[in-house]
Amino acid sequence: MDNELKKRDRAVNWHPYTQMKTADDAIPIIRGKGVYLYDNEGKKYIDAVSSWWVTLHGHSNPYIAQRVFNQLNTLEQVIFAGFTHEPAIQLSENLLNLLPENQGKVFYSDNGSTAVEVALKMCIQYAYNQEKAKTKILAFKDAYHGDTFGAMSVSGRSVWTQPFGEMLFEVIFIETPNSENLEALKDQIEHIADEVACFIYEPLIQGAAGMLMHSPEDLSELMRFCRAKEIIMIQDEVFTGFGRTGKLFAANHLSEKPDIMCLSKGLTGGTMPMGITTCSGEIFSAFLSDDKYKTLFHGHSFTANPLACTAALASMELLLQENTQFAIQRISKQHTDFTKILSQHHLVKNVRQTGTILAWELSTDHETSYFNEIGKKVYDEFLSRGIIMRPLGNVMYLVPPYCITSEELDFIYTNIVEVLNLFLKQK
């Protein structure tokens, strides 16, 4: 049965970020429960990366499942142009109550990339509707904002984007802020500020770049400067939103407010795809006109899907519960305690943590890179131990679901040390 499923999968499926010629067969997963995923041979795996950072409350969460089931028997889909429904209205109300107070409108889409596409279009058309010549876009070096063309354009140039290089629109990439480069960054922006349509950034953590982290104080200072220069700011919280940083949103760590926010991943608790772009009333007002040409002409077939909205509502209810907030702080503290052990290991460097996100690098004879070959070896070793970790090359990280217990985390930590010792002997 195991080989049959693998053969059938290889015959028809093209997996993401996978070189299909050389990749191992995909592992068939037949069910999930809590922090565990079970394959078709009965082996269980701890999902230590929340299945690409989306699962908040564990797999097959019964509360979310029941809410979605009830909604499925009431209304599964309706066009969101000219129509609306209770789950979308309630979700927007609930979400805006949690976001910075300047966020006033919610635009629904399908995933993180599309949330970014919507945000970029809002900014460019915001200037266009006011007949302002602002077309330049600022972004951080090594950024990752998605795989659609607009999102790729504002992501760092790399082998991922190389085949499409000449087709991506021009973006001005700047360094992430720190105490040493802030003044230079301000000077760089000063010279082009009048032409900048927007500044898009991942707050506090650049996930796909290798869990690179910068301080909220430095980012706040850069945002304050951009605000003074009337540069619209897009805060991409697709990864950092919904508790990952130890607070509900990375915005809660910052003294400055973005104009636009992008949300996805944990939005539905990992149950189904959904993207959200929120914006301030000022941004929204620029699209209000008797001139129909000033409309934001953007939409998706499943915009504000009632099932996804219901899953998001249920997930947010669970997220705000006292026991979940306690779990987020518990995980963060356990990570902090474990960093002291990690930092002392000879194979480890650059240990870093923000909330429930813990990352470190493995010292190798090669540079830190997504393509560092040690990543595959470490991945396989953890799989054999029943732990799903997906290294970014030689960058290791933990992003567990909030339902993980202290004992399960300790099991992961113990195995991390054992694997580090194993590879140290082989070095």
Side-chain angles (χ1 to χ4, degrees), residues 214-362:
H214 50 276
S215 80
E217 293 79 15
D218 291 331
L219 179 58
S220 292
E221 177 62 25
L222 184 61
M223 292 173 67
R224 190 155 38 249
F225 178 80
C226 288
R227 174 71 63 216
K229 297 300 175 182
E230 299 183 348
I231 294 174
I232 296 173
M233 291 174 282
I234 303 173
Q235 190 153 299
D236 180 351
E237 293 223 32
V238 168
F239 172 36
T240 55
F242 304 101
R244 292 297 186 194
T245 65
K247 297 186 179 183
L248 283 179
F249 300 95
N252 298 114
H253 295 269
L254 303 169
S255 62
E256 302 301 310
K257 301 176 182 62
D259 301 281
I260 296 173
M261 295 181 69
C262 302
L263 304 167
S264 188
K265 287 198 181 291
L267 174 58
T268 68
T271 307
M272 56 186 65
M274 172 172 264
I276 277 179
T277 308
T278 67
C279 72
S280 67
E282 181 182 351
I283 300 295
F284 179 71
S285 295
F287 293 81
L288 299 179
S289 174
D290 293 328
D291 181 356
K292 291 186 178 180
Y293 289 176
K294 291 189 175 182
T295 301
L296 178 63
F297 292 108
H298 191 99
H300 296 256
S301 301
F302 288 94
T303 295
N305 173 259
L307 299 177
C309 287
T310 298
L313 281 166
S315 177
M316 285 172 59
E317 287 178 25
L318 294 175
L319 177 63
L320 295 174
Q321 288 181 357
E322 185 177 350
N323 62 329
T324 304
Q325 291 300 305
F326 175 80
I328 289 171
Q329 299 311 313
R330 170 180 55 79
I331 293 167
S332 300
K333 184 180 184 306
Q334 279 190 260
H335 279 352
T336 300
D337 292 341
F338 184 55
T339 60
K340 300 169 186 175
I341 298 172
L342 267 182
S343 299
Q344 296 174 1
H345 201 282
H346 295 302
L347 198 61
V348 172
K349 63 181 181 179
N350 297 335
V351 180
R352 47 199 182 268
Q353 179 203 357
T354 299
T356 68
I357 304 163
L358 173 64
W360 65 97
E361 296 170 28
L362 301 179

Side-chain angles (χ1 to χ4, degrees), residues 52-98:
W52 250 338
W53 322 340
V54 303
T55 302
L56 298 188
H57 313 293
H59 296 281
S60 302
N61 181 277
Y63 181 68
I64 299 177
Q66 186 61 53
R67 289 282 298 275
V68 171
F69 176 77
N70 293 343
Q71 183 61 45
L72 186 60
N73 286 284
T74 305
L75 176 66
E76 86 299 343
Q77 168 66 1
V78 60
I79 182 174
F80 206 59
F83 296 87
T84 191
H85 51 83
E86 174 66 25
I89 297 169
Q90 189 67 61
L91 177 56
S92 295
E93 290 173 342
N94 291 4
L95 184 60
L96 290 175
N97 283 335
L98 299 177

Side-chain angles (χ1 to χ4, degrees), residues 373-382 423 426:
E373 294 182 359
I374 198 173
K376 176 65 167 62
K377 299 174 183 176
V378 173
Y379 173 75
D380 288 341
E381 179 61 31
F382 276 104
F423 278 85
Q426 297 174 358

Side-chain angles (χ1 to χ4, degrees), residues 10 88 95 126 134 192-193 261 279 304 318 373 392 403 421:
R10 187 169 282 277
L95 184 60
Y126 173 80
K134 292 191 172 188
I192 56 171
M261 295 181 69
C279 72
L318 294 175
E373 294 182 359
L392 298 162
C403 63
N421 291 337

